[in-house]
Amino acid sequence: MVKRNGVTEPFSREKIISGVRKACQGRPVTDTDLAMLAQKVEENIRATGVSQIDANEIGLTILSPLRELDEVAYLRFASVYQAFDSLEDFESAISDLRVERVGDDVES
């Protein structure tokens, strides 16, 4: 993993869990849920076949499985990694979640 300052360090599931745990505070998310999310993220990164990945890309890779796990935690995490600057950014993300939920209901 390549951090913003250019320093390279090994991928760590524990760092994924630690970062996501903050977004999940007060939410009905278990340690097992977090471990499974970190595993999915690692599998998705390995599937790309790249040997070095930017830390920000890891954050973005977390978004999809986190959205499936808990929408509130997803919004918290996304607000950092997608640099939400205004209420409109949150409104847009919430609208996207609603559209996806309706799409999921149609497919069921």
Side-chain angles (χ1 to χ4, degrees), residues 20 23-25 27 29 66 70-78:
V20 173
C24 294
Q25 281 185 319
R27 302 297 305 155
V29 175
L66 184 55
D70 188 277
E71 291 175 338
V72 172
Y74 162 79
L75 285 171
R76 291 173 177 170
F77 196 85

Side-chain angles (χ1 to χ4, degrees), residues 57-73:
E57 285 298 315
I58 294 173
L60 295 174
T61 303
I62 291 169
L63 290 174
S64 181
L66 184 55
R67 182 177 58 231
E68 293 171 15
L69 180 62
D70 188 277
E71 291 175 338
V72 172

Side-chain angles (χ1 to χ4, degrees), residues 26-103:
R27 302 297 305 155
V29 175
T30 67
D31 287 343
T32 301
D33 293 333
L34 293 175
M36 290 175 58
L37 181 137
Q39 180 178 341
K40 284 182 190 177
V41 169
E42 183 175 4
E43 289 170 358
N44 290 340
I45 291 169
R46 289 192 188 282
T48 67
V50 297
S51 61
Q52 297 282 328
I53 189 164
D54 185 76
N56 191 56
E57 285 298 315
I58 294 173
L60 295 174
T61 303
I62 291 169
L63 290 174
S64 181
L66 184 55
R67 182 177 58 231
E68 293 171 15
L69 180 62
D70 188 277
E71 291 175 338
V72 172
Y74 162 79
L75 285 171
R76 291 173 177 170
F77 196 85
S79 71
V80 173
Y81 277 92
Q82 294 179 333
F84 289 10
D85 290 325
S86 66
L87 286 175
E88 288 77 18
D89 291 337
F90 280 94
E91 289 170 345
S92 176
I94 291 168
S95 292
D96 291 345
L97 285 171
R98 286 186 175 136
V99 166
E100 288 174 22
R101 187 183 290 165
V102 168

